[in-house]
Amino acid sequence: MPDVLDVSPYDALLLLSFGGPEGPDDVVPFLENVTRGRGIPKERLKEVGQHYFLFGGVSPINDQNRALLDALRKDFAEHGLELPVYWGNRNWAPYLTDTLREMVRDGRRRILVLATSAYASYSGCRQYRENLADALAALEAEGLQPPRVDKLRHYFNHPGFVEPMVDGVVRSLAELPEEVRDGAHIAFSTHSIPTSAADTSGPVGAHGDGGAYVRQHLDVAQMIADAVRERTGVDHPWQLVYQSRSGAPHIPWLEPDICDHLEERRAAGAPAVVMAPIGFVSDHMEVLYDLDTEATAKAGELGLPVRRSATVGADPRFAAAVRDLVLERAAGERGQEVAPCVLGALGASHHLCPVGCCPARAPRPAAAGADSPYA
């Protein structure tokens, strides 16, 4: 390995995340940012904010991102990868526009973006790209020259993302009482989204029943289940389930909900369940509340033993995976042949989001894609 790994033409990495409140006074303003343009009354936002108030008004996603930043910088330094890492959020400080402005003033002209969402969907990819385009337009309006931004490919099937989750499921199974362990079911959980958004997720060729969003999650769930069987010698039944629905009741969203699934499993005689939040990079609020609080309480009512496995978070293997993705993209931009590191049946995702990929309900400019105004 050379002393310094070649990341040209890139001169910075941006960790782009959702953001979250850092105290009780932040909760309603944060939710106003998240729901801007939807006309939701402040009183309703206070009701929604009760999830945050249960945890002192602090979202764990911020500390998770700080830990990931530290892990990335440590991994890069140890491997001779000279690439500064910045952090910006869509909905709370440090805000994306402020971070991009700082990067421009630091002389950064070609930026790679790591979004804290591993799968294809409007809310998990295209919306981040729209926020990037909005931020770049804001810099341009200030008289600054917008940098070029490129988004790292979806990493749902990279070994550095999958293998920590395998370990988490195996640990959770081991924590169950011995008499129910071998019969335990695995509920692979991810964020529910409207079925219309799922069906149009990914490139146009992937559109259809569940789109790329469902197929990618099923691929990861199968990989983890297979690895758990190899590690434990037990073939555990599993199902992909959903959580954190937030839409109007008349709009169809992906199902089954995790709590409904726990009821169904108990009625069917399952002795225990491991909840594996494969759709989430870190233990943020929707994991802590929807799984650790709400779903765990439901399991208690049912008398069903449950454990919740860990998300990837700042696992060193994930930091190493990001380094691998950076080097892969940089080499490809220099015209070199690259063999992407992937597991499962779906292969590596695209580097450049094509036209029609995870479309919005109303057309909006988006960066880091074939249709970007900031190419």
Side-chain angles (χ1 to χ4, degrees):
M1 180 182 295
D3 292 335
V4 177
L5 300 178
D6 188 1
V7 294
S8 62
Y10 297 104
D11 53 23
L13 174 69
L14 169 63
L15 174 64
L16 177 56
S17 194
F18 192 82
E22 301 265 29
D25 293 342
D26 297 343
V27 172
V28 171
F30 162 72
L31 292 173
E32 287 175 333
N33 287 342
V34 174
T35 61
R36 181 170 286 116
R38 301 183 201 172
I40 299 176
K42 183 171 286 190
E43 291 306 311
R44 173 58 182 151
L45 295 179
K46 289 179 181 177
E47 292 176 20
V48 174
Q50 292 305 312
H51 295 181
Y52 291 95
F53 292 128
L54 287 174
F55 296 88
V58 178
S59 171
I61 195 171
N62 301 306
D63 281 343
Q64 291 278 337
N65 281 325
R66 292 182 184 103
L68 180 55
L69 276 174
D70 289 343
L72 291 171
R73 288 165 176 162
K74 182 175 184 289
D75 179 272
F76 287 6
E78 289 177 348
H79 291 84
L81 193 154
E82 295 183 352
L83 192 70
V85 186
Y86 296 74
W87 171 33
N89 290 322
R90 290 168 49 190
N91 298 299
W92 201 249
Y95 287 103
L96 170 59
T97 302
D98 294 338
T99 300
L100 280 174
R101 185 184 300 111
E102 176 190 359
M103 297 176 82
V104 169
R105 289 174 175 167
D106 287 348
R108 313 303 176 193
R109 301 302 312 150
R110 191 77 186 272
I111 297 168
L112 271 172
V113 177
L114 168 67
T116 53
S117 177
Y119 301 86
S121 70
Y122 171 74
S123 57
C125 183
R126 172 87 191 190
Q127 194 168 16
Y128 281 86
R129 294 176 49 227
E130 290 175 353
N131 294 146
L132 280 165
D134 290 343
L136 293 170
L139 297 186
E140 193 170 39
E142 295 172 9
L144 298 173
Q145 177 63 40
R148 173 167 170 177
V149 295
D150 292 329
K151 184 174 175 291
L152 290 173
R153 66 174 170 88
H154 299 301
Y155 46 83
F156 66 92
N157 55 1
H158 194 289
F161 185 69
V162 175
E163 290 167 0
M165 293 191 290
V166 173
D167 289 350
V169 173
V170 170
R171 281 195 301 268
S172 293
L173 287 166
E175 292 169 1
L176 286 168
E178 187 174 358
E179 63 271 18
V180 300
R181 187 178 304 150
D182 285 354
H185 289 227
I186 306 173
F188 292 108
S189 184
T190 190
H191 206 302
S192 184
I193 61 175
T195 56
S196 58
D199 292 347
T200 56
S201 58
V204 173
H207 293 181
D209 187 17
Y213 186 74
V214 171
R215 283 193 282 278
Q216 289 171 359
H217 281 87
L218 288 172
D219 193 47
V220 172
Q222 185 67 66
M223 283 189 275
I224 296 173
D226 290 346
V228 169
R229 182 182 65 250
E230 292 173 6
R231 293 264 295 271
T232 66
V234 179
D235 192 6
H236 292 273
W238 63 269
Q239 186 171 340
L240 179 63
V241 302
Y242 302 92
Q243 62 175 87
S244 312
R245 174 182 173 142
S246 59
H250 68 280
I251 298 175
W253 283 50
L254 293 173
E255 297 177 336
D257 176 77
I258 178 64
C259 289
D260 294 339
H261 177 71
L262 293 177
E263 289 184 344
E264 292 166 0
R265 290 303 88 213
R266 191 52 161 167
V273 172
V274 167
M275 301 181 292
I278 62 172
F280 305 92
V281 173
S282 67
D283 287 6
H284 57 59
M285 186 56 68
E286 287 168 317
V287 175
L288 294 190
Y289 183 81
D290 295 340
L291 295 184
D292 293 357
T293 305
E294 191 173 48
T296 299
K298 170 60 70 175
E301 294 171 10
L302 298 169
L304 178 67
V306 294
R307 296 293 185 274
R308 197 268 291 174
S309 66
T311 53
V312 173
D315 190 289
R317 289 168 291 183
F318 183 47
V322 175
R323 168 170 40 89
D324 180 69
L325 291 168
V326 166
L327 294 172
E328 173 192 307
R329 182 62 183 270
E333 288 294 306
R334 296 193 303 270
Q336 297 174 348
E337 291 288 332
V338 183
C341 188
V342 292
L343 299 173
L346 297 182
S349 295
H350 49 264
H351 287 297
L352 188 68
C353 290
V355 176
C357 192
C358 303
R361 288 185 290 272
R364 285 184 57 191
D371 53 355
S372 171
Y374 295 98

